[in-house]
Each structure stands twice: as C-alpha cells, then as structure tokens.
C-alpha cells in the first residue's frame, strides 16, 4: 500500500516535537527527549582561569600604608614644632635648635638668614670686612634644653641650657657659656630669633 507523501499538517494543527518521518535531524539540534547540554570545554582544552584581584588588593594596601606614613610624619613634625598645629612653645624650641644648629654647621651668615627682619637688615648693613670676620668665627652650640618660655603676643623669651663655645680668629682660647637668654618675634606666622628685640629697637 502506498503511503501518502508527507506534507504540512492541516491548518491549525501543530506538528509533533522531534523529526517527522522522512526528515533528517539537523546537526547541532537537541535530540528529542534530552535537555540541552551545558557548555563544557572540549577534550584537550584547558578551562579559562579565574581573574585574580591580587593587583587590586596590593593597591589598596599600598594606599593605606601611604596614608599611615603621612599621618605619622605629620605627628612627628607637630611634636617637633614644625607645623602650624604645634604650640608656640614647640615652635619656639624648634626655631632655637634650628638657628643654633645652622650657626654651628654653616656659619654666621647662614644663621642670620633665619633671624628676624631687624637682625637680617643689621647684618646686611655691616661692612664686607666685618662680615668676613664674623664668618671666621667658629661656633659650637649643644642645646640640652629650652625652658622658661614666655610668650607675650608676637614676642617671646626663652632660656637655653647647654654648651656654647666660640673661638675668635687667631685666638687659641675658646670662650664658652652654659646658658643663654633668647628673644624671639613672630613674623609672617613663624617664630624667629631676634637679638634686636632685646635692645628696644
């Protein structure tokens, strides 16, 4: 008995799932009765490794360390009297130590640049011969403590205790002292050593 040729189903009737008689399943189409298979790596292929966040973690750690170092530096400088957050007493002690350290290491002219404007102007007005003689002086100052700091407005007094030694050119005898009374003034927000402040000028 001859089978009628396969044709489209009657109008309004859906064809059954799966290949129809006489049809060959297309390659890659799911087999009837089996769910779609998930993607798996083909034999012989390595799975892609997961991206690691090591770089992000290291960057965060470095950022934290930088901030911590900056905060620590700010605290140290504040305690040393080298920031606006320092008290007047801390800034005055820091100023005196810097001034006399410069005097010892770099000489009279370099130290004068750290002094108040009146002292700088006085040094600038000195004859060149006097400047040359002053530069020959050998200073050695070792500050043990800065005490008795009294601040009055933009002026201050302080007492330095330590060893003060200086030698005149051609003089074999060194002169020394163990304390010094200092005058300071505040100019442009900074404390400066000012010998002129003690003379009423």
């Amino acid at each position: 008995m001859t089978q009628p040729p396969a044709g489209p189903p009657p109008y309004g009737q859906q064809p059954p799932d799966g290949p129809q008689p006489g049809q060959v399943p297309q390659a890659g189409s799911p087999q009837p009765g089996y769910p779609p298979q998930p993607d798996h790596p083909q034999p012989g292929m390595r799975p892609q490794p997961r991206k690691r966040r090591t770089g992000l973690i290291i960057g965060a750690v470095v950022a934290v360390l930088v901030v911590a170092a900056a905060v620590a530096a700010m605290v140290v400088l504040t305690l040393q009297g080298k920031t606006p957050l320092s008290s007047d007493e801390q800034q005055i002690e820091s100023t005196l130590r810097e001034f006399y350290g410069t005097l010892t290491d770099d000489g009279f002219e370099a130290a004068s640049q750290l002094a108040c404007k009146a002292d700088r102007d006085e040094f600038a007005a000195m004859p060149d011969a006097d400047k040359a003689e002053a530069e020959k002086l050998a200073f050695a100052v070792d500050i043990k403590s800065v005490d008795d700091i009294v601040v009055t407005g933009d002026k201050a007094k302080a007492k330095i205790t330590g060893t003060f030694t200086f030698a005149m050119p051609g003089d074999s005898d060194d002169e020394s002292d163990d304390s010094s009374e200092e005058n300071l003034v505040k100019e442009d927000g900074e404390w400066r050593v000012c010998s002129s402040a003690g003379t009423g000028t």
Side-chain angles (χ1 to χ4, degrees):
M1 182 176 181
T2 304
Q3 295 292 332
Y11 179 77
Q13 182 180 353
Q14 297 296 327
D17 293 336
Q20 301 301 312
Q23 292 184 351
V24 179
Q26 296 182 0
S29 62
Q31 297 296 322
Y34 294 92
Q37 298 298 314
D39 293 335
H40 289 288
Q42 297 298 322
M45 295 180 61
R46 290 186 177 181
Q48 293 294 328
R50 291 185 177 181
K51 293 183 179 180
R52 297 187 178 182
R53 299 183 178 180
T54 305
L56 181 61
I57 295 174
I58 292 176
V61 171
V62 170
V64 170
L65 293 177
V66 169
V67 172
V71 171
M74 178 63 71
V75 171
V76 171
L77 292 175
T78 298
L79 294 176
Q80 292 178 347
K82 296 181 180 180
T83 73
L85 299 177
S86 306
S87 66
D88 284 328
E89 289 76 10
Q90 289 173 323
Q91 294 181 43
I92 287 171
E93 180 173 353
S94 176
T95 295
L96 290 169
R97 290 184 180 278
E98 182 181 11
F99 177 85
Y100 281 105
T102 302
L103 182 65
T104 300
D105 297 336
D106 302 320
F108 192 84
E109 183 175 2
S112 70
Q113 301 306 308
L114 301 177
C116 65
K117 184 179 184 303
D119 285 3
R120 296 197 305 272
D121 291 345
E122 184 177 346
F123 178 81
M126 289 172 59
D128 290 342
D130 291 347
K131 291 180 182 178
E133 288 299 315
E135 200 62 26
K136 292 178 182 178
L137 293 172
F139 291 92
V141 181
D142 182 17
I143 297 178
K144 300 298 184 184
S145 65
V146 178
D147 305 299
D148 301 335
I149 298 175
V150 178
V151 179
T152 306
D154 60 354
K155 294 184 179 181
K157 293 180 179 292
K159 178 182 178 181
I160 298 177
T161 302
T163 304
F164 303 82
T165 305
F166 68 94
M168 301 293 291
D171 191 350
S172 58
D173 295 330
D174 295 343
E175 297 188 31
S176 62
D177 204 346
D178 59 1
S179 65
S180 174
E181 298 290 336
E182 298 293 332
N183 293 284
L184 303 94
V185 297
K186 201 170 193 178
E187 296 178 343
D188 299 326
E190 295 183 358
W191 286 103
R192 293 179 178 271
V193 174
C194 194
S195 61
S196 299
T199 62
T201 58

